[in-house]
Amino acid sequence: MCDADVKWLTRSWSITRTIIKVIVMTMMHNPAHPGEVLREWIPDDMTVGQAAQALQINRVTPSNILNGKSGVTASFALRLAAWRGTSPEMWVGMQAQWDLWQAQQQPMPKIKPLPRHAA
């Protein structure tokens, strides 16, 4: 087995692990921020600036997402999907799961249900 084969197998295993992690995250109590998942999908030798250039955005956007300081927008999800061969729904779904879990950790006021009226 040559070095290229080993590198390909290693990368394939990493991507498979990440996909499994995404599936499990939808059932988790504390899902990972999409930036944590994205970090695993960016090659080790690629800088944030290079990733930003590939995505045709400024460097601040992926940096903030990778560091959990901002979320994945629909526009960014479309770019990630095109770049990494995934779906935008996967990235938006991860963000929604993370946002929902974060919101559930905050105290909620008592809200009286709106009564239904017969039509």
Side-chain angles (χ1 to χ4, degrees), residues 7-116:
K7 191 172 188 176
W8 181 84
L9 284 172
T10 303
R11 191 72 189 146
S12 293
W13 173 243
S14 176
I15 291 171
T16 302
R17 257 190 352 210
T18 304
I19 291 170
I20 291 168
K21 184 188 281 187
V22 169
I23 292 167
V24 171
M25 273 184 0
T26 62
M27 300 178 283
M28 288 177 68
H29 292 288
N30 183 8
H33 187 277
E36 291 180 53
V37 176
L38 178 58
R39 187 173 301 282
E40 293 183 24
W41 285 57
I42 295 176
D44 293 336
D45 60 343
M46 181 176 272
T47 67
V48 173
Q50 290 169 328
Q53 188 175 20
L55 292 165
Q56 299 181 24
I57 53 177
N58 69 41
R59 181 191 174 291
V60 175
T61 301
S63 178
N64 284 340
I65 292 169
L66 288 166
N67 293 312
K69 294 180 179 178
S70 63
V72 172
T73 63
S75 175
F76 192 73
L78 288 168
R79 291 169 190 260
L80 284 175
W83 188 48
R84 297 303 306 169
T86 60
S87 72
E89 293 84 4
M90 181 186 91
W91 296 103
V92 172
M94 274 192 281
Q95 186 64 52
Q97 288 289 332
W98 189 83
D99 289 341
L100 183 58
W101 191 86
Q102 294 296 318
Q104 289 170 334
Q105 305 316 299
Q106 302 302 314
M108 278 287 294
K110 199 84 159 147
I111 298 175
K112 183 179 175 183
L114 179 65
R116 294 183 183 219

